Amino acid sequence: MAAAGFWSAVDTVLAAARRVEELMDAGGPVMWPLLGVSLLSWGLILDRYWYFLRVLPRVRRRPRSEVEAVELRIALWRHLRLIRTLSGILPMLGLLGTVTGIVETFDLIRVFGSAETRIVARGVSQALITTLTGLVMGLSGVGAGYDLSRRAEAGERAMIGSRSP
């Protein structure tokens, strides 16, 4: 009984992996940089959430010196600028994929001499997939970056409040 549930889960994961592979192929070559930047961005975001939810509550003590206060402030804001930068790069990569898909479409029209529906649909589909991927990943990164900045500000305020005589 348990084995059937395990194999069902494996089948589901494999089907999802095939769907991701199809999406990567349909989106064209710009999907790979999108994937790489997205993974880097979300790795940093998860690292920061781990810090704010697990590490910071344990180290939230009154800084004993200016050096400890500066180290805590640096730890609070670590990687947040990079997260915001990557969140801005993702929509631009999506736009690059859009332009790449449209240029490829016009090249195929030029080569084959007609605007065959299949050719145009393939190029427009590639353009829209990369645009959507870049926007979704970028917007999710912006939201997470905003939340993480808010948490860093709150941590800094708490640290300043604890240093008051």
Side-chain angles (χ1 to χ4, degrees), residues 45-121:
I45 288 168
L46 292 174
D47 170 73
R48 292 291 72 207
Y49 275 115
W50 179 262
Y51 176 79
F52 285 116
L53 296 174
R54 295 286 188 199
V55 177
L56 185 61
R58 285 187 275 155
V59 298
R60 203 178 275 222
R61 64 187 186 288
R62 185 180 178 133
R64 287 172 266 189
S65 68
E66 277 301 310
V67 173
E68 284 183 353
V70 169
E71 287 174 349
L72 183 58
R73 185 173 190 279
I74 289 170
L76 285 170
W77 292 96
R78 181 171 288 129
H79 301 308
L80 294 185
R81 182 175 290 164
L82 181 56
I83 290 169
R84 287 192 303 269
T85 301
L86 293 174
S87 297
I89 288 171
L90 284 164
M92 295 299 112
L93 282 172
L95 182 60
L96 177 63
T98 301
V99 172
T100 304
I102 297 301
V103 166
E104 184 178 313
T105 300
F106 283 126
D107 279 348
L108 289 173
I109 289 171
R110 181 182 52 80
V111 167
F112 292 109
S114 71
E116 186 178 328
T117 308
R118 269 193 346 219
I119 293 171
V120 174

Side-chain angles (χ1 to χ4, degrees), residues 11-62:
D11 287 341
T12 302
V13 168
L14 290 175
R18 281 190 296 275
R19 179 66 184 126
V20 168
E21 187 178 348
E22 290 169 7
L23 189 64
M24 295 295 288
D25 288 342
V30 177
M31 290 295 284
W32 292 105
L34 271 169
L35 177 65
V37 173
S38 296
L39 290 175
L40 174 61
S41 177
W42 277 99
L44 293 171
I45 288 168
L46 292 174
D47 170 73
R48 292 291 72 207
Y49 275 115
W50 179 262
Y51 176 79
F52 285 116
L53 296 174
R54 295 286 188 199
V55 177
L56 185 61
R58 285 187 275 155
V59 298
R60 203 178 275 222
R61 64 187 186 288
R62 185 180 178 133

